[in-house]
Amino acid sequence: MVSRFYNFGPGPATVPEPVLNKAREDLPEWHSSGMSVIEMSHRGKDFVGIAEHAEAILRELLAIPSSYRVLFLQGGATGQFAAVPLNLKRDKAKFAYLSTGLWSEKAIAEAKRYGEVQIVASSKERGYTAIPSRSDWNIDPDAAYLHYTANETIGGVEFQSIPEVESLTLVADMSSNILSRPVDVSRFGVIYAGAQKNLGPAGITLVIVREDLIGHAHPFTPSILDYKLQADNGSMLNTPPTYNWYLLGLVLEWIKEQGGIPAIEARNIRKADKLYAAIDASSFYSNPVDPAVRSRMNVPFLLAKTDLEKAFLAEAKAHGLVNLEGHRSVGGLRAST
Amino acid sequence: MVSRFYNFGPGPATVPEPVLNKAREDLPEWHSSGMSVIEMSHRGKDFVGIAEHAEAILRELLAIPSSYRVLFLQGGATGQFAAVPLNLKRDKAKFAYLSTGLWSEKAIAEAKRYGEVQIVASSKERGYTAIPSRSDWNIDPDAAYLHYTANETIGGVEFQSIPEVESLTLVADMSSNILSRPVDVSRFGVIYAGAQKNLGPAGITLVIVREDLIGHAHPFTPSILDYKLQADNGSMLNTPPTYNWYLLGLVLEWIKEQGGIPAIEARNIRKADKLYAAIDASSFYSNPVDPAVRSRMNVPFLLAKTDLEKAFLAEAKAHGLVNLEGHRSVGGLRAST
């Protein structure tokens, strides 16, 4: 008998049960292909169909303009922390970064391997519980791009709108909030997202990149991270993570069936509002984040008596609620929705 | 009703049916964990158990010495084409490569991004149907390492023993023949293998690296490809491809149940001997490879009348035999076993 937990882990995260059941049905044989998706040649008609279908749904859900390429890569967001500066550096000396939490910090540390990083603004001194106001940003117009982390899973801070950066190329890590709200892709140079938080399985990474930014990679860029080599080969420069791509497609199909991003967003708002309302109404729970930028995706909370955390987690698990621990770097508790 | 094809594709390749059935059983819930493996946190007890178990079986099957680390990475062999020079370069100016086919050529092209490549010997002039004899190799003792491709899937050429390279660090791409025959790991600096040919699912890459070679990566190495960062974090510097890791573990378990490498090797020899004997006895089929280095994994063959290839493939498919086309770069026919 299957009794599924309510999984509040930030990623890998819950996959809709219909998706899991579909994956189960497709084992050991996908349709009447004579084999499972795991075994299919990535260059065969069946898998190419699966891959193209996933891209088509994603383009539809996000209304991706035709001047953007969609890549399905390996290496996660951490791979893109290197790929972004390597592909976009060109003749520029600097990269501009917003620092709003631990994921921004990781992206910044990696970019420093490849050039000078200018911190446009940082909320570090405020314990990463806020986003610096736009008027305080100090942008060097000569930077190759401006990078920000759309949602910080650890601090629970989320951009509620796309920042204005004039003519600068905007790059966003949307690993933890992609497809959770509408986004105007045309405002960006690059959007990337590891799949394991909002899109399904770990092991596949989405990169949405404006065409004119492709083809200028630094000679030291490993081929697997080179946007041009991957774009020219339909993300099949080498064998792609075929089964992950298939599972991602199933999740995208499910999102479409639910009513697309507007339906998902409405559900997220409902869930987050309920959680924050309960926290704010209570004298026992508290959330430290500036209410204007509270994340809909990750809700960190503290107990008035921190020594009760262990008891809280045990009690929650007994009720089927799991993975409510805060990130090991900050402690406390956290619900990822 | 499931009627499975005999899949002769070189990779992604056939996965044993018991493995697929086990994967099916574990959906939507793994054991009594309340969730599928796809959804598990990579830092949780359940997944860490799955990951460690896979490594333990691999270490047992290959008798990997304790002075070697096993990494489970993303990016495939193509990712390692860059990772090997980036991690092993140190203060050396040159990398030594054997050129025995199209996969060697790709590894060489990638290494050239990071330094000078010395071609120790090449069988290109012989159409990659042979391996240059050891006495003709010209090894620069000052190279950072010597790299070879243990089995060339396209040409169907396989090293039948480990080359003698004195004190030079030996690196092998074993993507297409790992676990198909015993190998003395202690003779190598690095062994790597994309999983999709012999180990299961695409999207996870095995790296077996001697400890003293870890910790000297070039500063431009993306963190995901840095052996030290990955070794220090148990291959979980960032979220690993969790489901692929789990499937790989199931395949390793199946190999162990079959009797380990000796049993797999005996089966491979039987299959390859039968195929080559049929080809050699026929005036209609032919194989161009030097008999001393014929691959047990990939058997390319030509028809006396090449215009019959299409009819042959159609007839084979009607009998449930699929993916017998030769690689698109060389044509002809090929059976990958």
Side-chain angles (χ1 to χ4, degrees):
Chain A
M1 205 197 67
V2 177
S3 75
R4 284 169 57 79
F5 282 149
Y6 292 90
N7 181 359
F8 291 97
T14 297
V15 172
E17 213 171 338
V19 167
L20 298 174
N21 288 331
K22 184 80 183 59
R24 183 184 156 91
E25 264 169 43
D26 289 349
L27 285 174
E29 189 190 16
W30 183 82
H31 301 184
S32 297
S33 66
M35 62 184 77
S36 71
V37 176
I38 303 169
E39 302 161 283
M40 285 179 185
S41 165
H42 55 294
R43 306 205 187 273
K45 192 170 54 65
D46 286 336
F47 184 75
V48 168
I50 288 170
E52 287 176 351
H53 183 59
E55 178 173 341
I57 302 181
L58 184 80
R59 285 189 172 273
E60 185 188 332
L61 289 170
L62 280 172
I64 300 175
S66 61
S67 54
Y68 284 73
R69 298 295 300 266
V70 178
L71 308 178
F72 296 82
L73 305 183
Q74 296 186 63
T78 305
Q80 291 306 307
F81 293 168
V84 165
L86 280 166
N87 280 276
L88 306 189
K89 185 177 174 32
R90 301 176 81 161
D91 55 346
K92 306 282 190 174
K94 278 186 198 168
F95 316 121
Y97 279 74
L98 270 166
S99 175
T100 55
L102 294 183
W103 288 110
S104 309
E105 276 188 12
K106 286 182 191 222
I108 290 165
E110 189 82 358
K112 283 182 177 164
R113 293 178 181 268
Y114 308 107
E116 189 189 333
V117 169
Q118 184 221 2
I119 306 292
V120 166
S122 172
S123 56
K124 189 170 188 174
E125 282 180 16
R126 299 176 62 184
Y128 290 137
T129 58
I131 290 174
S133 112
R134 175 68 186 86
S135 53
D136 297 335
W137 299 8
N138 169 31
I139 304 183
D140 185 334
D142 223 38
Y145 58 85
L146 172 73
H147 177 283
Y148 76 104
T149 309
N151 180 65
E152 290 278 1
T153 58
I154 298 171
V157 165
E158 184 176 11
F159 280 78
Q160 303 298 321
S161 61
I162 302 172
E164 279 297 342
V165 294
E166 286 102 46
S167 65
L168 208 59
T169 298
L170 192 60
V171 177
D173 175 0
M174 294 197 184
S175 297
S176 56
N177 71 348
I178 194 163
L179 293 183
S180 72
R181 55 167 78 216
V183 62
D184 178 357
V185 173
S186 73
R187 302 269 302 275
F188 293 87
V190 180
I191 293 170
Y192 63 87
Q196 69 275 8
K197 294 190 168 89
N198 284 33
L199 300 175
I204 188 159
T205 313
L206 212 61
V207 178
I208 303 168
V209 51
R210 212 175 58 221
E211 261 174 352
D212 63 288
L213 298 172
I214 296 175
H216 314 286
H218 187 282
F220 260 44
T221 312
S223 294
I224 56 163
L225 296 177
D226 183 319
Y227 293 161
K228 179 167 170 53
L229 290 175
Q230 292 287 11
D232 286 351
N233 288 282
S235 303
M236 296 190 191
L237 172 74
N238 59 334
T239 311
T242 46
Y243 197 67
N244 314 59
W245 197 330
Y246 151 80
L247 288 172
L248 170 56
L250 293 184
V251 172
L252 293 173
E253 243 170 45
W254 178 86
I255 291 174
K256 186 178 164 184
E257 282 163 16
Q258 301 305 301
I261 294 180
I264 300 289
E265 182 183 35
R267 186 182 306 186
N268 286 328
I269 292 176
R270 221 159 46 231
K271 284 197 282 190
D273 281 356
K274 230 173 180 169
L275 257 166
Y276 285 117
I279 290 169
D280 290 344
S282 137
S283 57
F284 186 66
Y285 301 108
S286 67
N287 167 288
V289 175
D290 174 359
V293 295
R294 280 174 164 179
S295 169
R296 293 179 189 159
M297 301 284 103
N298 315 91
V299 181
F301 55 100
L302 300 168
L303 305 185
K305 301 190 173 169
T306 52
D307 52 341
L308 288 178
E309 277 178 13
K310 271 200 178 152
F312 174 89
L313 290 169
E315 187 73 3
K317 184 157 187 183
H319 285 80
L321 313 175
V322 298
N323 289 330
L324 281 159
E325 300 84 353
H327 188 265
R328 66 215 148 89
S329 64
V330 295
L333 301 161
R334 172 175 56 160
S336 299
T337 60
Chain B
M1 205 198 66
V2 178
S3 75
R4 284 169 57 78
F5 282 148
Y6 291 90
N7 180 357
F8 291 98
T14 298
V15 172
E17 212 170 340
V19 167
L20 298 173
N21 289 331
K22 184 80 183 56
R24 182 184 157 91
E25 263 171 44
D26 289 349
L27 286 174
E29 188 189 14
W30 183 83
H31 300 183
S32 297
S33 66
M35 62 184 77
S36 70
V37 176
I38 303 170
E39 302 162 285
M40 286 179 184
S41 165
H42 54 294
R43 305 202 187 276
K45 193 169 53 66
D46 286 336
F47 185 75
V48 169
I50 288 170
E52 287 176 350
H53 183 57
E55 177 173 342
I57 301 182
L58 185 79
R59 283 189 172 274
E60 187 187 331
L61 288 172
L62 279 173
I64 300 174
S66 61
S67 55
Y68 284 72
R69 298 296 299 266
V70 178
L71 308 177
F72 296 81
L73 305 183
Q74 296 185 62
T78 305
Q80 292 306 307
F81 293 168
V84 165
L86 280 166
N87 280 277
L88 305 190
K89 184 176 174 33
R90 302 175 84 159
D91 55 346
K92 305 284 189 171
K94 279 187 197 166
F95 315 122
Y97 278 75
L98 269 167
S99 175
T100 55
L102 294 181
W103 289 109
S104 309
E105 276 188 11
K106 287 182 192 223
I108 289 165
E110 190 81 359
K112 283 182 176 165
R113 292 178 182 269
Y114 307 107
E116 189 190 333
V117 169
Q118 185 222 0
I119 307 292
V120 166
S122 172
S123 55
K124 189 169 187 176
E125 284 181 15
R126 297 176 62 183
Y128 290 136
T129 57
I131 291 175
S133 116
R134 175 68 186 84
S135 54
D136 297 334
W137 299 7
N138 169 29
I139 305 183
D140 185 334
D142 224 37
Y145 58 84
L146 173 74
H147 177 285
Y148 76 103
T149 309
N151 179 66
E152 291 279 1
T153 58
I154 298 172
V157 165
E158 185 175 11
F159 280 79
Q160 303 298 321
S161 61
I162 303 171
E164 279 298 343
V165 295
E166 284 102 47
S167 64
L168 209 58
T169 298
L170 191 59
V171 177
D173 175 359
M174 292 195 187
S175 297
S176 55
N177 70 349
I178 194 163
L179 293 182
S180 72
R181 55 166 79 216
V183 61
D184 178 358
V185 173
S186 73
R187 301 271 300 277
F188 292 87
V190 179
I191 293 171
Y192 64 87
Q196 70 274 9
K197 293 190 170 88
N198 284 31
L199 300 174
I204 189 160
T205 313
L206 212 62
V207 178
I208 304 167
V209 50
R210 212 174 60 220
E211 261 173 351
D212 63 288
L213 298 172
I214 296 175
H216 314 286
H218 186 281
F220 260 43
T221 311
S223 294
I224 56 164
L225 296 178
D226 183 319
Y227 293 161
K228 180 168 170 55
L229 290 174
Q230 291 287 12
D232 286 353
N233 288 281
S235 303
M236 297 190 191
L237 172 74
N238 61 332
T239 312
T242 46
Y243 197 66
N244 314 59
W245 197 329
Y246 151 79
L247 289 173
L248 169 57
L250 294 185
V251 172
L252 294 173
E253 243 169 45
W254 177 85
I255 291 174
K256 187 178 163 183
E257 283 163 16
Q258 301 305 302
I261 294 180
I264 300 290
E265 183 184 35
R267 186 182 307 187
N268 286 328
I269 292 176
R270 222 162 38 233
K271 283 197 281 189
D273 282 355
K274 230 174 179 167
L275 258 166
Y276 285 117
I279 289 169
D280 290 343
S282 137
S283 55
F284 186 66
Y285 301 109
S286 67
N287 168 287
V289 176
D290 174 359
V293 295
R294 280 174 163 180
S295 168
R296 291 180 192 159
M297 300 285 102
N298 315 91
V299 180
F301 55 100
L302 300 169
L303 305 186
K305 301 189 176 174
T306 51
D307 51 341
L308 287 178
E309 277 178 14
K310 272 200 176 151
F312 174 88
L313 290 168
E315 186 73 2
K317 185 159 187 184
H319 285 82
L321 313 175
V322 298
N323 288 331
L324 281 160
E325 300 84 353
H327 188 266
R328 64 214 148 89
S329 64
V330 293
L333 301 161
R334 174 176 55 162
S336 299
T337 59

